[in-house]
Amino acid sequence: MSSDASSPVKSTTPPLSPLSPVSPVSPSSLRLPPCRQRDRSPSPMRGHLIPSPLPTRRNRTCSAAARAAEGPVFTGVCKCFSRSKGHGFIRPSDGGNDIYVHISDIEGEYVPVEGDEVSYKICSIPPKHQKIQAVEVTITHLAPGTKHETWSGAVLES
């Protein structure tokens, strides 16, 4: 195969027309396209109260609720509970690992605080069912010398 040195090389890029954009020389020569103001529709929530950030009671499947209801009742002490986060932990009376409790699984009038004695049942946590959580949690004895808050916000000193 022989190549002819006198044959012109064909360019794959089209020639620039006078209206083609040219790469800017410096960033300061860049011009942003003009912004157009768009009319925003009014918010559907304008004028309404913001919904509470506290989570509501979750729905369990019938089989999980039935298994939890059939189980034994355990006792323990509230290790910590955060109303704003919506969960806490219980230290079992018989020792062992702390047990997770969700805000929707607490029965009764008061928000649990550290030191409250509680009774509860356990249920496995989906999707793998390898961990457990406390359900049907009831405060049996309020921790002495602490302030207790009701779910409505009233404060009681014990």
Side-chain angles (χ1 to χ4, degrees):
M1 291 174 83
S2 67
S3 65
D4 188 1
S6 64
S7 68
V9 178
K10 293 185 179 183
S11 174
T12 57
T13 59
L16 292 175
S17 72
L19 300 176
S20 300
V22 180
S23 180
V25 178
S26 69
S28 61
S29 65
L30 288 174
R31 280 179 278 139
L32 296 174
C35 294
R36 38 172 222 184
Q37 295 289 345
R38 73 171 205 199
D39 294 328
R40 294 184 171 248
S41 60
S43 171
M45 293 302 294
R46 190 163 287 146
H48 296 283
L49 293 176
I50 297 173
S52 171
L54 297 177
T56 58
R57 183 172 289 277
R58 297 173 297 166
N59 293 327
R60 287 198 176 82
T61 61
C62 291
S63 59
R67 283 194 306 269
E70 292 172 358
V73 175
F74 298 95
T75 59
V77 176
C78 180
K79 180 180 177 183
C80 61
F81 187 82
S82 172
R83 183 176 182 172
S84 61
K85 291 181 181 178
H87 69 273
F89 292 91
I90 296 172
R91 184 179 301 121
S93 297
D94 59 359
N97 294 334
D98 294 342
I99 299 174
Y100 173 83
V101 59
H102 189 266
I103 194 170
S104 66
D105 294 313
I106 297 172
E107 309 289 334
E109 183 179 357
Y110 297 104
V111 178
V113 297
E114 182 179 348
D116 285 347
E117 293 180 26
V118 295
S119 64
Y120 59 93
K121 295 181 179 182
I122 59 171
C123 179
S124 60
I125 301 174
K128 295 183 180 180
H129 300 287
Q130 293 174 343
K131 297 180 181 179
I132 58 172
Q133 77 177 52
V135 296
E136 298 181 24
V137 178
T138 307
I139 299 174
T140 54
H141 292 94
L142 300 176
T146 58
K147 293 181 181 180
H148 282 81
E149 184 181 3
T150 63
W151 294 109
S152 61
V155 178
L156 169 78
E157 293 195 35
S158 59

